[in-house]
Structure formats: structure tokens, C-alpha cells
Amino acid sequence: MSDHPNRLSELGPRPPGLPAGSLVSRPVRRRLRRARTEPLLWLSDEPVDAPASAYPAPAGFQAVLLHDQTGPADWWETEALEPARVSDPDDHHVEPVLREFWSAVIPEPEEGEEQENEELIAPFGPAWPGLAAAGSPVRDPEAAAAALAAECIREGWFGRPRLALVPARRGADVPAELGWGGPLNHENDTARISAVLRSWEDRFGARVLALGFDRLDLYVAAPPRTLVEALPVAAEHFAFCPDNVRQGSGTVRAYAEEALIGRDHWSFWWD
């Protein structure tokens, strides 16, 4: 994780403009130092009914919703958050990370299953297809992200979400700063997940809306608009979270058609 000063101890139980809350602490490893217990995040005591962006996050903090729609209740009090196991997103680059993920999720076909394997990842082959091109963002993405989060709350998509403040420079770094364990069955070092999210922030205007026990929800300001644009994005999603395809649309092409074209809500779930 990044080695910046932890300012959580400066927050009181009720920072200005925020609901009542308290600090959650964990053993945290700073570079060249042993792990020690220190505050990890500030968390509202009660569920909130508005997007995280509706609350004034102090300088140096990112606001995010933690929802209880998946996993145990109050999962943030468990080993689901372990920052001591996470490296620094600065140590990783999106291209080699996704290339390695892609190679890991492309199955070695058993005899007679070659066609099934080809259909899974068509129109791509076993070689990593490369990064998708950046999209064109909509106007006022912050307002659009807030509207999507509000809709998700109204529809119960986040359950009863809590508001969290995390000391991070950008929203993409929040999973790494928390040592979030949602993708553990796919990737143990969440800094590599944040490296991909940084790239999606830059290329597609992605914003982290909410984290669950094993789910991640993003708003996307520049989603692909055509199948040609969506296919390479679908390949990235398959590498990043193979369960989205394997337990969802079934193939990369179907996922591109059904889940990506014009969709400003990207949701990932790791089994």
C-alpha cells in the first residue's frame, strides 16, 4: 500500500457535514517498517441513504459506500480488510497485470474441448489482445455518478450501505488502501486490482461507487458505444473478473453485447 501519512486519527467521531461514525483499525505495514495497528478507515455508525459524493470528504480522503448485499453483515470488521498483505499500486502497471490475468483465466482445453474454449474468448485467441481504446466521457460525470449511486441505493442494490472515508489520493486506490479481500479467489494483492482501476479511471472515467464483501461497483463516464469498442473492454473484464463472464453471459462476445454497450454501471463479483 502507499506510504503516505495516516490522517484518520485527526477525524473526530463526527467530521463536519457527516453522520456520526468511528474509526476501524487494522495491522498496517508501511514500507521498511513492521506492521502495527493503526486506523484504516472512518465508518458511519448507521446506514446512509445518499451517494458517498453527497458528503463532504475532507482533503486527502476518498468517500465510498461499503454495502452488505454480499457476504457476512459488518464484513468490514473481519479479515476481509487486511492492508498488511497488499503492495503499492505504484509498483504495478495495467498492461502486464491484465496480460498475466488473461493468461491465468484462459483454460487449457481438454481433448475435444478446443471449440468450446475458442467460443468462450472469441473473437480473441489465447494471446493477450491488448488494452482497449479510451472512450469519450459524458458531460458532468460526477453528477451522473451520484445519480447512479442514488438509484442503486433506492433499488436495494447496495443493501444498507455505510459511508466510509479512506485516506487515498484517488478513488481507484481505495481497494488497495483498505487491503480489500473481495478478489482473493482471483488475486491476493489488491494493489494490482487498483492498478487496473487507475487505468479505467483514465480511459473510461470510472469512479468507485461501492465495495461489498466480494463485489465492486463502478460508474463509468465513457462506456463503449458499439460492439467493436466493447469487445476489447470485455476481454479486460474477463481477465479482471472471470466470474462475470463464466457465471454470467457465458462468452466474451455475449458479455460485450449484453453488459457493456452503453452501460455506465460496471459491477464485478468474485466467487
Side-chain angles (χ1 to χ4, degrees), residues 131-135 203-204 229 232-233 236:
L131 295 181
R203 286 184 289 143
F204 306 113
E229 293 176 354
V233 180
E236 292 191 27

Side-chain angles (χ1 to χ4, degrees), residues 138-268:
V138 299
R139 294 180 181 178
D140 199 358
E142 300 302 332
L148 174 60
E151 180 182 358
C152 289
I153 293 172
R154 287 195 304 270
E155 295 184 355
W157 185 249
F158 298 154
R160 292 164 49 81
R162 302 278 195 97
L163 175 68
L165 296 180
V166 182
R169 291 188 292 267
R170 55 193 295 182
D173 290 353
V174 166
E177 289 296 335
L178 292 178
W180 178 60
L184 274 181
N185 290 336
H186 179 55
E187 171 56 50
N188 292 329
D189 187 354
T190 317
R192 286 156 59 85
I193 298 296
S194 284
V196 177
L197 295 180
R198 285 180 174 187
S199 181
W200 287 350
E201 274 188 354
D202 297 337
R203 286 184 289 143
F204 306 113
R207 307 287 195 279
V208 175
L209 297 181
L211 292 171
F213 177 72
D214 54 6
R215 203 178 85 203
L216 166 67
D217 287 275
L218 308 178
Y219 163 76
V220 184
R225 299 296 177 183
T226 66
L227 181 59
V228 170
E229 293 176 354
L231 281 169
V233 180
E236 292 191 27
H237 283 210
F238 181 51
F240 182 78
C241 181
D243 291 329
N244 269 29
V245 173
R246 293 190 190 282
Q247 301 189 41
S249 303
T251 69
V252 168
R253 180 182 292 275
Y255 180 78
E257 294 172 341
E258 298 169 8
L260 290 182
I261 298 176
R263 299 294 184 91
D264 63 359
H265 183 192
W266 291 357
S267 184
F268 302 93

Side-chain angles (χ1 to χ4, degrees), residues 95-157:
E95 183 84 44
V97 168
L98 282 176
R99 184 187 301 115
E100 185 176 329
F101 284 174
W102 177 265
S103 298
V105 301
I106 300 299
E108 287 291 337
E110 300 290 339
E111 185 176 354
E113 295 181 352
E114 290 83 357
Q115 182 176 354
E116 180 180 342
N117 197 32
E118 291 174 0
E119 291 174 352
L120 171 66
I121 59 175
F124 308 107
W128 163 239
L131 295 181
S136 300
V138 299
R139 294 180 181 178
D140 199 358
E142 300 302 332
L148 174 60
E151 180 182 358
C152 289
I153 293 172
R154 287 195 304 270
E155 295 184 355
W157 185 249

Side-chain angles (χ1 to χ4, degrees), residues 53-79:
S53 58
Y55 300 92
F61 291 89
Q62 298 292 325
V64 66
L65 297 179
L66 303 186
H67 68 72
D68 59 358
Q69 196 70 336
T70 58
D74 298 342
W75 56 266
W76 43 82
E77 299 286 358
T78 73
E79 293 181 357

